[in-house]
Amino acid sequence: NAGVTQTPKFRVLKTGQSMTLLCAQDMNHEYMYWYRQDPGMGLRLIHYSVGEGTTAKGEVPDGYNVSRLKKQNFLLGLESAAPSQTSVYFCASSPNLSYEQYFGPGTRLTVT
Amino acid sequence: AQSVTQLDSQVPVFEEAPVELRCNYSSSVSVYLFWYVQYPNQGLQLLLKYLSGSTLVESINGFEAEFNKSQTSFHLRKPSVHISDTAEYFCAVSDPLNRDDKIIFGKGTRLHILP
């Protein structure tokens, strides 16, 4: 039982490049989330999903897109990376919105 | 919607001394409360949670938190800290009666253990 996994663990992009971060969970959770974590800012919700085929905007959605084609996977895309998107990205899942979330190990992204 | 406040961004404490990390939430009829721990270069892990029942909840590594409804607080305490407790701690809250309400995280408190 791997829980929540994220790939890749590290990535360096040049401004304007695109990439996709993959999150996978094996707990059959309906809800999945993408956060970014920056020093002094805590966790900020980017997008989330309440089930396969659904997505919704969080607190800081601009510059990101997401897709949930399969229940176990939640993809976060950056179409044109900017230095302001340098951050650590965390994926999480939960059985419902109010219950505890289970987090992945994170992806450290640097945009130069 | 719920909100949560962690008043201290950093707390230094000597090894083997007691510690309290403060968490206050906005008032609501019902709440679920959580404390998460994030060790350096890792994801967040659930430390303990309050859903209902006993207002005092404990973790396996000696931390405890008490749900205080009148003060809308859920402070985290440990009677004697160890160097391995060095981490960032996040308080979180949700409203189980609001089906659209997500967990809201505080901004975190960094615990520094001094030798």
Side-chain angles (χ1 to χ4, degrees):
Chain A
N1 197 346
V4 179
T5 58
Q6 293 182 233
T7 52
K9 288 186 169 50
F10 304 93
R11 187 73 187 268
V12 178
L13 288 180
K14 289 188 165 64
T15 297
Q17 286 184 319
S18 64
M19 78 163 294
T20 300
L21 282 67
L22 171 64
C23 175
Q25 53 97 2
D26 61 3
M27 296 173 283
N28 202 34
H29 286 166
E30 289 292 332
Y31 301 84
M32 296 187 74
Y33 314 82
W34 276 107
Y35 294 90
R36 59 177 291 174
Q37 185 179 33
D38 303 289
M41 306 287 287
L43 289 170
R44 291 185 290 171
L45 183 64
I46 304 171
H47 286 280
Y48 64 102
S49 168
V50 300
E52 182 178 317
T54 73
T55 63
K57 293 180 181 179
E59 183 185 350
V60 288
D62 294 342
Y64 305 95
N65 56 74
V66 287
S67 64
R68 183 110 180 260
L69 298 179
K70 292 183 180 180
K71 186 176 183 178
Q72 63 268 34
N73 296 338
F74 195 29
L75 278 63
L76 177 71
L78 286 72
E79 290 187 347
S80 179
S84 60
Q85 295 177 305
T86 292
S87 187
V88 181
Y89 291 85
F90 288 101
C91 176
S93 71
S94 67
N96 67 41
L97 277 178
S98 298
Y99 272 56
E100 66 262 33
Q101 295 178 12
Y102 296 79
F103 283 79
T107 295
R108 188 173 295 274
L109 175 66
T110 302
V111 183
T112 61
Chain B
Q2 287 281 2
S3 66
V4 59
T5 302
Q6 292 182 249
L7 288 170
D8 306 305
S9 59
Q10 295 191 65
V11 172
V13 62
F14 286 103
E15 197 170 12
E16 299 184 6
V19 69
E20 178 180 84
L21 306 183
R22 296 180 292 169
C23 173
N24 288 90
Y25 62 93
S26 59
S27 180
S28 176
V29 173
S30 63
V31 288
Y32 287 164
L33 293 156
F34 310 87
W35 275 101
Y36 283 81
V37 59
Q38 184 182 29
Y39 298 107
N41 300 312
Q42 294 187 26
L44 278 72
Q45 304 171 37
L46 182 68
L47 188 61
L48 47 77
K49 63 185 177 186
Y50 169 80
L51 303 182
S52 65
S54 173
T55 57
L56 185 66
V57 290
E58 298 176 352
S59 72
I60 58 172
N61 58 351
F63 282 94
E64 64 178 32
E66 186 163 18
F67 168 52
N68 188 321
K69 190 172 184 176
S70 63
Q71 298 191 4
T72 61
S73 69
F74 191 56
H75 301 330
L76 182 70
R77 302 183 181 96
K78 189 170 185 179
S80 175
V81 295
H82 188 267
I83 196 76
S84 60
D85 295 322
T86 297
E88 190 156 19
Y89 293 80
F90 292 89
C91 183
V93 62
S94 69
D95 180 356
L97 295 185
N98 183 345
R99 57 182 297 173
D100 296 323
D101 201 40
K102 299 176 292 300
I103 288 180
I104 303 298
F105 289 87
K107 293 202 179 300
T109 298
R110 197 171 292 277
L111 180 60
H112 293 283
I113 309 298
L114 307 170

